[in-house]
Amino acid sequence: MTVRRQRRRCQRGSSSVEAAIVVPVLLLFLLVVVAGARIALAQQAVTGAAEAGARAASLERTETAAVSAAVAAVEQDLAGAGLACTARTAVSGQWQLALGQPGTARVTVTCRVRLADLMVPGMPGEIVIERTAESPIDRHRARTGG
């Protein structure tokens, strides 16, 4: 009987020690998962913005109109996604081709996102997300160089 009581006394508080070790590890793991998910959502938002910009650019007849349409579409898409970032949009394409020739509009969006906006407020640093999308320009549509 006394041996049994001694065993109980030796294990007293062991669950508290286990909890003190396991809970912070689980919380850290949870924070890493949430941070990874937030970064993945930001990457998807930039991808969607690049695709929207490429589509908007491919609908225009001149390069200058395509650039302004692409920039507007990218900004609108990023704002709609709720992603606060400093975006730079580069547009290239083949609007000067003759009727019947296939062309593409290519938009590259480079977005600098602060880690404080994605994870823990006050966290230093930023990540750069860059995505490129292409959209075909209708080959049977009149084009002008511009």
Side-chain angles (χ1 to χ4, degrees):
M1 212 51 150
T2 58
V3 174
R4 222 181 208 172
R5 285 187 186 180
Q6 285 177 351
R7 273 192 186 163
R8 279 193 214 152
R9 287 182 188 157
C10 292
Q11 293 181 1
R12 213 176 247 184
S14 65
S15 61
S16 300
V17 172
E18 289 172 7
I21 293 171
V22 171
V23 169
V25 171
L26 288 177
L27 286 176
L28 182 64
F29 177 73
L30 180 65
L31 288 175
V32 168
V33 168
V34 169
R38 298 283 310 245
I39 290 172
L41 287 173
Q43 290 172 341
Q44 288 177 350
V46 174
T47 300
E51 290 170 353
R55 180 68 180 140
S58 71
L59 296 176
E60 298 299 325
R61 294 179 188 266
T62 64
E63 189 169 354
T64 54
V67 169
S68 61
V71 169
V74 166
E75 288 175 357
Q76 182 180 7
D77 207 61
L78 288 175
L83 183 63
C85 74
T86 306
R88 194 182 91 234
T89 305
V91 181
S92 63
Q94 298 124 350
W95 286 271
Q96 297 85 8
L97 294 174
L99 187 65
Q101 296 295 317
T104 58
R106 174 179 289 155
V107 173
T108 301
V109 177
T110 306
C111 193
R112 293 182 158 298
V113 184
R114 292 182 18 214
L115 291 177
D117 293 339
L118 293 178
M119 296 179 218
V120 180
M123 185 172 205
E126 63 185 14
I127 60 170
V128 176
I129 302 171
E130 183 175 298
R131 295 292 186 263
T132 301
E134 289 185 354
S135 183
I137 298 173
D138 186 3
R139 68 173 66 190
H140 300 294
R141 175 180 189 168
R143 302 176 196 157
T144 58

